[in-house]
Amino acid sequence: MEVSVLNIKGQETGRKVTLNEDIFGVEPNDHVIYLDVKQYLGNQRQGNAKAKERSEHKGSTRKLGRQKGGGGARHGDINSPLLKGGGRVFGPRPRDYRTKLNKKVKVLARKSALAYKAQEDAIMVLEDFTFDAPKTKDFINITKNLKVEGKKVLLVLPNSNKNVYLSARNLQRAEVMEAASINTYKVLNADVLIVTEDSLKTIDGVLTK
């Protein structure tokens, strides 16, 4: 699959690149995509929710009423879950939501996500560029020139570029990341994937080891 290389003005440079069939041409596997996305979202969770149970509440342990003959439900001290202000039954406790996934599964999931984008013609290749200084307006102009303004955009760069990152940071529907850190969730969450020429080489190196 060949894709024309564009410049930041949205014009064709006259060059074309061929997307690696071993990555962008594979048969997508929905199950491994599910596993990888599930792991990514789980790893983002803090897992620090905590509710006090009966034994953790501070209060008297005196039994409030007799066991039988009161005409209502039996309960013990003021920390009972049956009473207002009492402990919670089986409340949340701090836990670790992180899971492990085999490297081959993660690689196949990322290839599958990129293959879906290729099938949807949602991949644009941009010649390598940089900004002299952080300026959100310059990044917005690029999205206008590429006619992707208003869409969720994921820009993939070969290396960390502070000026480009800061230029896109305030935009809600735009995100910048390095090619070596590309993941299934970010690719699928974007409407358009904008990849620079050198980023394609990095992606090839990471996913075809």
Side-chain angles (χ1 to χ4, degrees):
M1 179 179 177
E2 287 190 341
V3 180
S4 298
V5 179
L6 307 176
N7 58 26
I8 58 175
K9 294 182 179 179
Q11 303 167 340
E12 291 192 8
T13 60
R15 302 192 307 276
K16 289 189 176 182
V17 293
T18 302
L19 299 181
N20 191 336
E21 285 295 317
D22 293 334
I23 298 175
F24 298 90
V26 301
E27 182 66 29
N29 187 316
D30 291 338
H31 184 62
V32 296
I33 288 177
Y34 159 75
L35 293 175
D36 199 17
V37 170
K38 179 183 177 183
Q39 186 207 35
Y40 175 80
L41 295 178
N43 291 352
Q44 307 307 305
R45 299 183 68 173
Q46 289 183 321
N48 57 1
K50 177 72 173 72
K52 286 186 177 181
E53 298 187 358
R54 181 172 188 161
S55 62
E56 298 170 314
H57 267 277
K58 185 177 181 180
S60 173
T61 57
R62 177 178 66 88
K63 188 170 175 65
L64 300 179
R66 57 182 180 171
Q67 179 77 354
K68 293 179 178 293
R74 59 190 177 183
H75 50 259
D77 57 42
I78 201 171
N79 302 321
S80 170
L82 302 175
L83 300 178
K84 182 179 179 181
R88 181 172 173 182
V89 180
F90 303 126
R93 294 183 175 184
R95 58 171 289 190
D96 187 1
Y97 289 93
R98 289 178 295 180
T99 56
K100 291 184 178 180
L101 213 57
N102 293 336
K103 287 183 179 179
K104 289 184 178 180
V105 173
K106 294 177 71 68
V107 168
L108 179 56
R110 292 170 187 176
K111 287 182 178 180
S112 298
L114 292 170
Y116 268 129
K117 289 301 176 188
Q119 291 176 6
E120 297 167 2
D121 290 327
I123 297 178
M124 304 180 76
V125 179
L126 201 64
E127 67 177 0
D128 298 303
F129 71 97
T130 187
F131 291 152
D132 295 330
K135 202 166 185 180
T136 304
K137 185 177 180 180
D138 290 343
F139 192 92
I140 293 175
N141 287 335
I142 291 179
T143 61
K144 287 181 179 179
N145 295 336
L146 297 177
K147 298 179 182 179
V148 294
E149 188 183 15
K151 295 182 178 181
K152 285 185 179 180
V153 174
L154 176 63
L155 174 61
V156 183
L157 300 177
N159 301 300
S160 176
N161 189 316
K162 185 176 180 181
N163 289 341
V164 176
Y165 168 75
L166 292 177
S167 299
R169 184 174 60 175
N170 289 335
L171 300 177
Q172 188 176 4
R173 301 177 70 81
E175 190 165 358
V176 176
M177 70 184 312
E178 296 179 45
S181 304
I182 197 168
N183 67 68
T184 307
Y185 177 79
K186 296 291 186 182
V187 171
L188 294 177
N189 191 45
D191 295 325
V192 180
L193 184 65
I194 302 176
V195 189
T196 62
E197 288 183 274
D198 284 346
S199 296
L200 285 175
K201 299 176 184 177
T202 303
I203 293 173
D204 286 352
V206 171
L207 299 184
T208 57
K209 285 181 180 180

